Amino acid sequence: MATERAELTKLCSSRNWSKAIRILDKLLAKSCSIQDICNRAFCYSQLELHKHVVKDCDKALQLDPNLLRAYILKGNALSALGRKEEALLIWEEGHKIAVDESNESTDIKQLLELEELLSSVKLSQQQQCTITEDTSVDTPPCDTKVVISEDRVVDTKTVICDDHSTDSSGSDGPTSPTESQTKETNEGNSEEGETGEKKEVSLSISTNKKMVEFCKNPSGGETIKLDRKLFVTNFSSKTKSISLDLRLSRGIAQVNEGNYNQAISIFDQILRETPTYPEALIGRGTAYAFQRELDSAIADFTKAIQSNPSAAEAWKRRGQARAALGEFGEAIEDLSKALQYEPNSPDVLHERGIVNFKFKDYNSAVEDLCACVKRDKKNSSAHTYLGLSLAAIGEHEKAETEHLLAIKLDQNFLDSWAHLAQLYLDLANSEKALQYLDKVLIIDGRFAKAYHLRGLLYHGMGQHRTAIKDLSVALTIEGSNIECLYLRASCYHAIGEYKSAAKDYDAVLDLELDSVDKFVLQCLAFYQKEIALYTASKVNFEFSQFNIDDDIDPLFKEYWCKRLHPKYVCEKVYRQPPLRISLKGGRLNKQEFRFTKHQISLLQAADNIGKRIQYNCPGFLHNRRQYRMAGLAAIEIAQKVSKHWRVLRNAKKNGKPIKKKDKLGLASLNRGGSGCSTSGPSAGTTTYSSVEERGVSVHSLPWQDIYSIAVKWRQISEPCDPVVWVNKLSEEFNSGFGSHTPMLLGQAKVVRYYPNYQRTLDTAKTIILNSKYVTNAEDRLVDLSGKLDKIKSASSCFDLYNLVGENFWVSTTCDSMAYEGKKLEGTRITTQMTDKIGFDFAIRTPCTPSRWEEYDEELAFAWEALCVAYSGDLFASHDLNMLNIVKDAILRLTYYWYNFMPLSRGSAAVGYTVMLGLLLAANMEVTTSIPPGVQVDWEAILSPNSETFIEAVKQWMYPSIKMNRFWKDHADVSMVFNTTGSVVAALSSYDN
């Protein structure tokens, strides 16, 4: 050790700081001496490696809080990093200790040095006050990144930010639905040059048209910021250290100035002399990374690691590069290795937390980011990513706190504003979402992501025209933003501006893409354009002729629902004519939006009825367009069913079967689609005991016709949603296409449906305990009779999976109404492991032909029971207590519909809309909203029989039901809004 001490003295005398640091590393590995820590901090300061200075000073102060030298060095380093206020606080803290009477070992020289530093700072503040106010510039607001989709994967499009300019940098393509953009705030990672000007360099890297970026971005994106600290390792060079330090410093300066080729040339010269010199390898690797040559960058970082396996910076940089390539598992391994050599490093914890978030390992992300902010409380990026991670695992209040704290730390940090607004949007808190989006646009009126988010919010609220305005502003800033283009196209589509919709869909299809998520949008744009062309061709035809289920090819609909590549569809399916031909059938004229008093009265009534479909649960936005859709559909159903029941009543009263002309008259008014009497034979196959009595309703108005009215309104109201009858898909229907509603996706708790998790888990446990088996992914039974006690005590789907040992499902059952003692297959509760870090815990509804036939019989039986109940002695009754039989019959029909789930999506809204319409047909109006936390479709799915469902719903619904015949004062909906164009206008008029 004496020899090493002598060599250390010699190296410091010759100003060979790099080698001196290596000697000190060796000494500290053997014995942790406070003096050696301070000596190493001083050597770092001579190389301008200020962040390393801060770290060493913190270590020294942990060992001796009264060490004045550490306060001096740390304050100098913070000042050099541009963190002047923190430097002043550190010096003041040191001075307070120095003058403390209880401190008997104060170094007078260091005390005077502290006083000199403090006085110079205060003098400088007085002299430069005016100049500072005029010239100090915060990090400028830059393009910021926001999370959109329920899977929460965050990629970035980043920008270079320094004190003077904001230039875009990144992929040539636009962002995807799950992508957004980030703002650089590199406070604490910047270096000062000789002029004192703060230098900040951030990076976005892409290769092969795929956005790939480093994970180093304190403000929440995936970027790398280069500073001189990355060149410190334990390598002992054989060349002249002073010369190497100078050339290394020049190389760093070139990278910081963006002269990457020149930097690489300097590092090349060093590496020709010393091929394994790790500092130069890390420097060149970083320059390569800035040039988006990630493979070369990773190769250099790997060589640096091979040269010195304990070079934490090399492990960290390679982890960043691998994360930028999407190699999250390998990135986490590298960053974990870096933490072995830099334990509890806030920088590395921050980076690994971000990578864990992107890897969807949200629990690990929370752990890392909590540890990071504990040590670096002012890291706004760590707080906002912690907020994102907490939101993903359902800790929404804590997530809100973290986002607000990030905003408090940096008002100009656009990421935090956007992420907070996204959180409120996910929770369906539209007021707060709008509040924060408005605020962030005051800070930066050209923040494209805020306009996109606000457009997304307005779209979710059914205000499509308002959404178009915001999306158009966003597209003036980012003309190739695929998310904005697709969303604006769908808004134009919904309000009947088909030419503009087709133009935007084409723009989406023409973009060059760099991610799978964006490609999915392109596929959807293809299908949506075809539907827009089809709808345009039906504008001036009767709404009854708008029939997606029968007119559109089954293969097309299946690929549309599954979001598959349209290449095969293009080859096999008839394409819609071009727009100019589609529009020959007529355009949506302005007069369509001019309504008579009777039409306005009808729309107002529809709005009042339709708002009753709203779920008062997190994640369900209040959508005025959907309210109007549901209200108009409910009134039309009431009008059709009331007429049908009157015919049945008259037939019974007269004691004779219905006349043929009456049957045809009812059928001619039908505006349904799949399964309707006007579009083909009924799917019903039930044999009834009384053909004369029951045959009337089967042939004149079967249950499918009732629900098809609501289905068509749902289809036209939001064309982004592929709402189709599953039995009208291709032959693949035989393989069991069905709905999938997850409560847990990996570790992410789905905002809308996770509240049903515990009840669903308890239902699954009950089924297992009763049946003593589950079914695995290969549809084989797995006997669990020996594990029932452990099943009973299982508290999570994780526990159940461990007991079963593989992916599995169990099925709920529904007691049959048509056949006593028969049980129907209800909904499958599935548990699947995903990537060894979480589970897909969901309900799935298979719609096989055999299951379809069973539920068709049940619904036909339930519908006939309702018709018999109301068309008899209770017809036109005003006694609500006597009408309980009718109410129960309507809920029973609704119960089987919800368990059937025969639509690709939208079954919940359609089911409740039909229920409201049937009650209206019996002159009963529901005057209350659905209680908070209640999702009626889930009540049905998790109820073993219709009586359990009825008991659950009647408690809050029946007391609110009032007798009301107001709807009969309105004209027939199918006559007032008889064309497809008039229906579109009716749905879009309130937002005009």
Side-chain angles (χ1 to χ4, degrees):
M1 183 175 290
T3 305
E4 290 174 335
R5 292 286 179 189
E7 186 179 356
L8 175 62
T9 303
K10 182 179 178 181
L11 291 171
C12 288
S13 297
S14 61
R15 304 295 191 269
N16 196 335
W17 308 115
S18 296
K19 282 191 175 182
I21 289 170
R22 294 174 193 128
I23 296 296
L24 286 164
D25 285 341
K26 293 178 182 179
L27 292 172
L28 286 168
K30 298 174 184 176
S31 172
C32 187
S33 162
I34 297 177
Q35 186 61 49
D36 285 339
I37 294 173
C38 280
N39 286 338
R40 189 172 65 177
F42 175 76
C43 293
Y44 280 142
S45 71
Q46 299 306 300
L47 291 173
E48 300 183 42
L49 298 167
H50 306 301
K51 294 189 76 175
H52 280 275
V53 176
V54 173
K55 289 180 182 178
D56 271 353
C57 289
D58 285 339
K59 290 178 184 177
L61 289 171
Q62 285 178 355
L63 297 172
D64 183 1
N66 296 326
L67 194 62
L68 299 186
R69 191 65 192 155
Y71 286 106
I72 294 169
L73 287 170
K74 183 178 178 180
N76 289 337
L78 290 170
S79 179
L81 288 168
R83 295 153 67 177
K84 308 291 186 183
E85 292 181 2
E86 292 180 62
L88 179 59
L89 290 174
I90 291 297
W91 288 329
E92 287 176 341
E93 186 178 349
H95 186 266
K96 183 178 180 181
I97 291 171
V99 298
D100 190 341
E101 293 180 359
S102 62
N103 189 352
E104 299 177 356
S105 59
T106 298
D107 187 313
I108 300 299
K109 181 180 179 182
Q110 292 177 356
L111 170 61
L112 294 174
E113 188 174 350
L114 280 167
E115 289 182 343
E116 184 179 348
L117 287 168
L118 288 170
S119 61
S120 65
V121 169
K122 292 176 181 178
L123 180 62
S124 176
Q125 287 177 340
Q126 293 172 359
Q127 293 176 341
Q128 299 296 327
C129 181
T130 305
I131 298 175
T132 302
E133 290 176 358
D134 293 338
T135 61
S136 63
V137 182
D138 291 334
T139 303
C142 307
D143 287 351
T144 309
K145 149 122 189 112
V146 192
V147 176
I148 303 294
S149 89
E150 283 183 334
D151 56 20
R152 298 295 188 281
V153 176
V154 182
D155 295 319
T156 62
K157 178 181 177 185
T158 57
V159 293
I160 295 177
C161 301
D162 56 34
D163 285 285
H164 307 288
S165 64
T166 304
D167 301 319
S168 64
S169 170
S171 146
D172 294 334
T175 55
S176 74
T178 56
E179 286 179 331
S180 20
Q181 304 165 330
T182 51
K183 165 181 158 278
E184 292 299 311
T185 55
N186 289 314
E187 181 186 7
N189 290 315
S190 58
E191 298 286 349
E192 282 194 327
E194 294 178 359
T195 63
E197 176 186 347
K198 184 191 283 189
K199 296 181 180 178
E200 295 179 336
V201 181
S202 61
L203 163 70
S204 67
I205 308 163
S206 65
T207 182
N208 297 328
K209 293 186 178 180
K210 176 183 179 184
M211 175 66 80
V212 285
E213 295 163 330
F214 273 8
C215 302
K216 175 67 178 158
N217 177 6
S219 63
E222 289 185 26
T223 60
I224 178 174
K225 195 211 138 237
L226 180 65
D227 59 45
R228 293 184 174 88
K229 78 168 186 142
L230 63 86
F231 301 113
V232 178
T233 66
N234 297 327
F235 182 80
S236 179
S237 172
K238 295 181 180 180
T239 61
K240 294 181 179 179
S241 295
I242 295 178
S243 175
L244 277 178
D245 285 344
L246 290 173
R247 283 187 286 169
L248 203 59
S249 182
R250 277 208 313 272
I252 297 171
Q254 293 300 320
V255 176
N256 279 336
E257 292 170 9
N259 302 322
Y260 306 126
N261 288 328
Q262 294 176 11
I264 290 171
S265 177
I266 293 171
F267 294 131
D268 283 344
Q269 291 175 8
I270 297 173
L271 291 168
R272 275 195 291 270
E273 299 171 9
T274 312
T276 58
Y277 191 62
E279 288 90 341
L281 286 167
I282 297 173
R284 189 174 69 178
T286 305
Y288 279 138
F290 274 97
Q291 291 187 316
R292 305 187 179 103
E293 298 179 24
L294 284 186
D295 290 335
S296 297
I298 289 174
D300 274 352
F301 298 142
T302 302
K303 289 178 184 177
I305 291 169
Q306 291 169 348
S307 175
N308 180 17
S310 62
E313 200 66 37
W315 288 104
K316 183 174 75 172
R317 297 297 178 183
R318 193 174 73 172
Q320 293 171 328
R322 284 179 163 176
L325 285 173
E327 299 171 358
F328 296 125
E330 294 83 353
I332 290 170
E333 289 178 6
D334 281 352
L335 292 167
S336 298
K337 198 73 175 179
L339 278 171
Q340 290 182 18
Y341 300 110
E342 287 189 24
N344 300 321
S345 164
D347 286 344
V348 182
L349 285 168
H350 178 209
E351 306 236 3
R352 194 173 67 174
I354 293 174
V355 176
N356 275 321
F357 174 80
K358 296 177 185 301
F359 197 40
K360 300 185 181 181
D361 188 353
Y362 303 117
N363 293 323
S364 296
V366 169
E367 184 179 348
D368 280 346
L369 294 166
C370 281
C372 173
V373 299
K374 185 178 180 180
R375 293 165 176 80
D376 185 4
K377 294 180 174 60
K378 295 188 177 181
N379 189 331
S380 55
S381 169
H383 283 292
T384 200
Y385 264 98
L386 179 55
L388 290 171
S389 302
L390 287 166
I393 61 174
E395 299 285 350
H396 299 117
E397 290 185 6
K398 292 181 180 178
E400 180 185 31
T401 300
E402 292 300 325
H403 288 314
L404 288 170
L405 182 54
I407 290 172
K408 183 178 179 180
L409 289 170
D410 185 356
Q411 290 283 327
N412 292 322
F413 182 17
L414 302 186
D415 266 358
S416 297
W417 294 94
H419 289 318
L420 182 59
Q422 178 71 60
L423 173 66
Y424 291 135
L425 195 158
D426 291 342
L427 295 174
N429 189 334
S430 56
E431 289 185 7
K432 282 195 172 181
L434 285 173
Q435 174 188 344
Y436 281 92
L437 288 171
D438 291 344
K439 285 183 177 180
V440 76
L441 286 171
I442 293 173
I443 296 171
D444 184 356
R446 288 187 58 78
F447 182 26
K449 184 52 65 178
Y451 288 109
H452 169 241
L453 263 182
R454 199 165 66 179
L456 189 67
L457 176 59
Y458 282 129
H459 173 270
M461 295 166 65
Q463 300 179 33
H464 290 61
R465 283 191 172 82
T466 308
I468 287 170
K469 293 176 183 178
D470 274 336
L471 295 169
S472 297
V473 174
L475 286 166
T476 62
I477 302 167
E478 294 180 4
S480 297
N481 188 316
I482 190 172
E483 297 173 277
C484 292
L485 278 170
Y486 176 79
L487 189 58
R488 190 175 69 173
S490 68
C491 289
Y492 280 132
H493 185 168
I495 64 175
E497 296 188 20
Y498 303 111
K499 186 175 181 180
S500 297
K503 182 180 178 181
D504 276 353
Y505 284 136
D506 283 338
V508 171
L509 292 169
D510 289 341
L511 290 173
E512 292 187 12
L513 303 183
D514 50 25
S515 75
V516 174
D517 291 324
K518 294 178 182 179
F519 178 70
V520 170
L521 276 190
Q522 264 194 342
C523 293
L524 288 174
F526 168 83
Y527 298 114
Q528 292 295 140
K529 182 186 175 185
E530 291 292 302
I531 297 297
L533 294 175
Y534 169 79
T535 309
S537 69
K538 302 293 183 180
V539 163
N540 285 343
F541 290 87
E542 289 187 4
F543 189 40
S544 60
Q545 294 189 40
F546 174 83
N547 194 340
I548 288 176
D549 290 286
D550 287 340
D551 292 347
I552 302 298
D553 189 280
L555 184 66
F556 176 96
K557 289 182 293 186
E558 182 155 337
Y559 273 55
W560 178 28
C561 291
K562 294 180 178 179
R563 302 182 173 192
L564 300 178
H565 195 297
K567 182 177 182 295
Y568 185 68
V569 172
C570 293
E571 297 172 353
K572 301 291 183 180
V573 174
Y574 169 76
R575 299 282 300 279
Q576 294 296 319
L579 184 66
R580 57 184 177 81
I581 297 176
S582 296
L583 289 178
K584 282 184 178 180
R587 300 172 183 269
L588 190 60
N589 299 317
K590 289 184 178 180
Q591 54 263 33
E592 298 278 9
F593 294 92
R594 298 170 184 165
F595 300 112
T596 64
K597 290 183 179 180
H598 294 297
Q599 288 175 319
I600 292 172
S601 177
L602 178 59
L603 292 177
Q604 290 172 342
D607 291 344
N608 189 54
I609 294 168
K611 66 184 180 182
R612 302 302 179 195
I613 70 168
Q614 178 67 46
Y615 278 178
N616 293 304
C617 305
F620 292 91
L621 282 167
H622 292 246
N623 190 314
R624 293 173 61 193
R625 185 180 177 91
Q626 294 303 306
Y627 295 168
R628 180 162 292 183
M629 172 278 297
L632 288 170
I635 293 173
E636 182 174 354
I637 288 168
Q639 291 168 340
K640 295 288 191 298
V641 172
S642 175
K643 188 176 294 186
H644 174 65
W645 285 344
R646 189 178 302 111
V647 171
L648 288 178
R649 171 66 175 171
N650 291 336
K652 286 185 177 182
K653 189 176 181 180
N654 296 330
K656 59 183 179 180
I658 188 172
K659 295 179 182 179
K660 184 177 181 180
K661 65 178 181 179
D662 291 329
K663 297 178 189 177
L664 295 175
L666 282 166
S668 66
L669 291 175
N670 173 63
R671 299 208 294 176
S674 170
C676 301
S677 55
T678 57
S679 57
S682 170
T685 57
T686 308
T687 301
Y688 301 102
S689 58
S690 175
V691 175
E692 283 193 349
E693 184 177 78
R694 298 189 179 184
V696 171
S697 63
V698 169
H699 291 294
S700 58
L701 196 62
W703 71 267
Q704 294 98 327
D705 287 23
I706 304 301
Y707 282 93
S708 289
I709 294 171
V711 169
K712 290 188 67 175
W713 279 97
R714 180 66 178 81
Q715 288 171 333
I716 199 84
S717 67
E718 188 48 73
C720 263
D721 297 338
V723 178
V724 295
W725 290 87
V726 175
N727 70 326
K728 290 290 182 172
L729 299 177
S730 72
E731 292 181 0
E732 290 294 319
F733 163 63
N734 293 316
S735 68
F737 179 93
S739 64
H740 171 220
T741 308
M743 291 158 279
L744 196 63
L745 278 173
Q747 295 176 5
K749 297 175 181 178
V750 180
V751 173
R752 285 187 171 191
Y753 307 118
Y754 187 77
N756 300 297
Y757 172 86
Q758 190 59 50
R759 185 177 173 188
T760 306
L761 180 68
D762 292 341
T763 300
K765 288 168 57 178
T766 301
I767 294 169
I768 295 172
L769 292 171
N770 291 335
S771 65
K772 299 181 177 57
Y773 67 84
V774 298
T775 307
N776 66 13
E778 288 75 36
D779 289 334
R780 291 197 298 268
L781 299 183
V782 179
D783 182 27
L784 296 174
S785 55
K787 302 179 179 179
L788 297 184
D789 288 339
K790 292 182 178 179
I791 294 291
K792 190 180 298 184
S793 60
S795 60
S796 67
C797 62
F798 174 77
D799 292 341
L800 288 181
Y801 179 89
N802 285 341
L803 290 170
V804 176
E806 58 183 314
N807 296 338
F808 69 92
W809 58 269
V810 296
S811 180
T812 63
T813 58
C814 301
D815 291 345
S816 171
M817 179 183 177
Y819 300 97
E820 186 176 354
K822 180 179 180 180
K823 290 188 179 295
L824 308 175
E825 180 183 6
T827 298
R828 294 180 181 179
I829 302 172
T830 63
T831 302
Q832 296 177 302
M833 177 174 275
T834 57
D835 300 325
K836 298 183 179 180
I837 60 171
F839 293 89
D840 181 334
F841 187 65
I843 56 170
R844 297 173 186 261
T845 307
C847 286
T848 58
S850 59
R851 188 175 184 276
W852 190 281
E853 290 175 4
E854 288 183 335
Y855 274 93
D856 177 45
E857 281 191 287
E858 291 299 324
L859 284 159
F861 195 90
W863 168 238
E864 288 304 309
L866 171 59
C867 291
V868 169
Y870 189 72
S871 61
D873 294 337
L874 294 176
F875 184 78
S877 172
H878 290 192
D879 188 328
L880 283 172
N881 289 327
M882 291 183 64
L883 286 172
N884 279 343
I885 297 174
V886 177
K887 299 174 197 171
D888 288 355
I890 292 172
L891 287 182
R892 194 169 290 111
L893 180 70
T894 305
Y895 169 79
Y896 286 111
W897 167 267
Y898 280 141
N899 278 280
F900 188 12
M901 289 286 176
L903 304 178
S904 57
R905 66 178 300 166
S907 294
V910 167
Y912 204 80
T913 298
V914 172
M915 186 203 71
L916 292 175
L918 293 174
L919 287 168
L920 279 179
N923 302 315
M924 292 184 285
E925 181 190 6
V926 176
T927 61
T928 190
S929 300
I930 300 171
V934 174
Q935 298 180 25
V936 183
D937 53 328
W938 283 81
E939 288 291 336
I941 289 167
L942 298 177
S943 295
N945 52 62
S946 59
E947 300 311 311
T948 304
F949 171 70
I950 291 169
E951 284 300 317
V953 174
K954 69 190 299 183
Q955 295 179 20
W956 54 266
M957 180 182 287
Y958 285 12
S960 80
I961 293 177
K962 309 295 182 186
M963 296 303 298
N964 200 329
R965 300 168 59 90
F966 74 94
W967 60 272
K968 292 187 176 182
D969 297 333
H970 298 290
D972 195 316
V973 174
S974 61
M975 297 298 180
V976 174
F977 301 110
N978 62 324
T979 66
T980 301
S982 65
V983 167
V984 172
L987 293 172
S988 309
S989 61
Y990 68 85
D991 194 30
N992 191 353

